[in-house]
Amino acid sequence: MKMVRMSGWRVVVVVAIWLVGVLVLTLHRYDGNRAGEKTNWMGFTDREARLAQRVREGEDQVQWLKLQLSSSQNKISQELKKTSLGGGGGGCEPVPLPCEAVHVAIVCA
């Protein structure tokens, strides 16, 4: 078997061809992963953008539920203060006011 001696420009040409081949294969593989999917301006696929939107909606619902819970707790504490201050004569226990129905819905995806 005869060894081919490569010198100077031949080495550069072989390395350049090899690098171009690796680059082409890498870009082809990267494009193949997202075949058929559109991307938005931030680089997310349509599916990723929809999932992010659902997460934001879920966070908004959690924030709204926390606000409703806080409001209900404030109402209850005010009513308890009224009954403890207003019903106090003669050692009798204060009569609680009728309960208010509070509807809470928790949605999990």
Side-chain angles (χ1 to χ4, degrees):
M1 184 193 265
K2 187 176 181 182
M3 295 284 289
V4 177
R5 184 172 180 203
M6 298 184 77
S7 63
W9 65 273
R10 290 180 185 157
V11 172
V12 173
V13 170
V14 168
V15 170
I17 291 172
W18 185 79
L19 286 175
V20 168
V22 169
L23 181 64
V24 167
L25 288 175
T26 303
L27 290 176
H28 177 69
R29 171 176 275 176
Y30 177 73
D31 288 340
N33 289 339
R34 296 187 183 257
E37 293 184 2
K38 297 178 183 176
T39 58
N40 68 359
W41 63 275
M42 291 186 67
F44 296 119
T45 63
D46 288 340
R47 181 174 183 265
E48 291 168 336
R50 286 191 312 267
L51 289 174
Q53 179 63 32
R54 288 180 64 189
V55 168
R56 282 191 295 274
E57 289 172 359
E59 289 171 347
D60 290 343
Q61 288 177 353
V62 167
Q63 185 178 5
W64 183 82
L65 288 172
K66 284 181 180 180
L67 181 65
Q68 292 297 318
L69 178 62
S70 171
S71 174
S72 298
Q73 287 174 339
N74 288 338
K75 285 181 183 179
I76 290 172
S77 67
Q78 288 173 358
E79 291 299 322
L80 287 176
K81 286 178 185 177
K82 285 180 187 177
T83 58
S84 66
L85 293 177
C92 297
E93 292 185 24
V95 177
L97 297 175
C99 297
E100 178 183 340
V102 177
H103 299 279
V104 177
I106 297 175
V107 178
C108 298

